[in-house]
Amino acid sequence: MQREDPDLPALARRVIVGVNSTGASTVITDERAVPCTRLSNGILLQEVWQQRGIPAAPDDRPEPEWTLGPAAPTEGAVIRILTVPAANGDGPAEPNLHTDPSLHVITMLSGELVVLLEDGEVALGVGDSVVLRDSMHDLRNLQPRPATFVYTSFPLTKNDSEH
């Protein structure tokens, strides 16, 4: 995918390190060809890594046919870079509070996001992280420039004693 907007970050570079035939660590792949999707709301989603099973095996590789789109995984884990476009000046749309049975970790790389919750909100800036555990939320970029973050997601199991 070509960069459509100079304010957007460069596409992610993914370097995968493994072990060569002599047992020494080495670069297995070095590419800027991570799968990219432009969602209908303008968000650019880059799939940095997908892990079908946990724990991981030393020779695991991303599976191009295992495309999740924006959904959180129901097994394994994903690591993505997402870029939310700049606010368009129309004011924020109605909140789209949503959840899924996952643990999400979001760490800001650039810009600012507001995480809307059922009972309040929290603003995140560069270097800030939020951990969402099966929590109703919505993400908003209210600033005049894009906001980029790393998103890691793992499915949760329900503990019957919690309910």
Side-chain angles (χ1 to χ4, degrees):
M1 172 178 275
Q2 299 218 355
R3 292 183 65 197
E4 300 166 8
D5 182 335
D7 291 330
L8 292 178
L11 296 180
R13 176 180 175 208
R14 177 173 56 198
V15 178
I16 299 175
V17 174
V19 178
N20 68 17
S21 60
T22 67
S25 59
T26 188
V27 172
I28 302 295
T29 63
D30 184 345
E31 60 189 351
R32 284 204 192 275
V34 300
C36 284
T37 304
R38 174 81 62 185
L39 305 178
S40 61
N41 58 7
I43 293 174
L44 178 65
L45 183 152
Q46 299 179 68
E47 293 270 359
V48 175
W49 189 260
Q50 23 167 279
Q51 185 67 46
R52 224 188 257 256
I54 303 290
D59 59 349
D60 284 348
R61 300 283 186 274
E63 300 176 35
E65 67 279 357
W66 193 46
T67 303
L68 297 170
T74 57
E75 60 181 336
V78 295
I79 300 158
R80 300 171 168 155
I81 297 174
L82 282 87
T83 300
V84 180
N88 62 13
D90 292 340
E94 286 297 313
N96 178 24
L97 293 173
H98 60 281
T99 190
D100 51 57
S102 299
L103 180 133
H104 304 302
V105 180
I106 293 171
T107 301
M108 296 300 299
L109 298 176
S110 67
E112 297 176 15
L113 278 181
V114 174
V115 181
L116 300 174
L117 305 168
E118 291 175 293
D119 184 20
E121 62 184 48
V122 62
L124 301 176
V126 174
D128 293 343
S129 294
V130 63
V131 178
L132 299 162
R133 295 180 288 188
D134 196 11
S135 307
M136 295 294 286
H137 66 280
D138 191 14
L139 303 176
R140 296 291 176 90
N141 180 5
L142 305 175
Q143 301 301 313
R145 62 181 203 170
T148 300
F149 57 94
V150 174
Y151 163 96
T152 303
S153 183
F154 305 90
L156 291 173
T157 58
K158 294 285 186 190
N159 181 347
D160 291 334
S161 65
E162 293 177 359
H163 301 296

